[in-house]
Amino acid sequence: DVAKVRKMMMARGVRKKPGCSFIEISKRVHEFITGDTSHPQKEDIYSELQILSRQMEDAGYVPDTKAVLHNVREEVKEHMLCCHSEKLAI
């Protein structure tokens, strides 16, 4: 049970590190963390990600939220999937 494991982790002070991705562009390495908003080009990145997400939805893509184990609303799960570090890096 996910909730039980999370409670045990909290009780023991265990923290999960957030997902992280790297991409190299013009010999410069960019690091992205899930939900990251610290990148200097964050407005452009999130704007492009929103455009791509709409195009994917229009093409019939439906996010598989079963993998999101947090006890939150479906819309929040979809947002969490949208802002994964891999998508931010691309």
Side-chain angles (χ1 to χ4, degrees):
D1 181 48
V2 174
K4 185 177 178 181
V5 171
R6 288 191 188 276
K7 283 181 185 179
M8 283 189 340
M9 288 174 66
M10 286 181 62
R12 295 180 182 177
V14 176
R15 296 197 58 174
K16 181 189 172 299
K17 291 184 179 182
C20 180
S21 296
F22 298 89
I23 186 169
E24 183 179 339
I25 300 171
S26 301
K27 297 185 181 183
R28 184 166 178 226
V29 176
H30 299 264
E31 177 183 18
F32 295 91
I33 298 171
T34 300
D36 187 16
T37 58
S38 65
H39 194 280
Q41 293 175 297
K42 67 182 174 200
E43 288 88 10
D44 294 335
I45 292 167
Y46 278 95
S47 175
E48 188 65 28
L49 188 57
Q50 194 171 35
I51 291 167
L52 290 171
S53 293
R54 268 193 243 114
Q55 290 175 346
M56 289 167 41
E57 285 178 22
D58 291 346
Y61 171 75
V62 178
D64 182 6
T65 58
K66 290 181 286 193
V68 179
L69 302 178
H70 298 278
N71 188 19
V72 294
R73 294 185 330 265
E74 200 65 21
E75 304 87 52
V76 175
K77 289 181 181 184
E78 289 177 9
H79 178 74
M80 292 170 83
L81 290 173
C82 174
C83 297
H84 260 231
S85 62
E86 295 90 349
K87 288 184 179 179
L88 294 174
I90 291 172

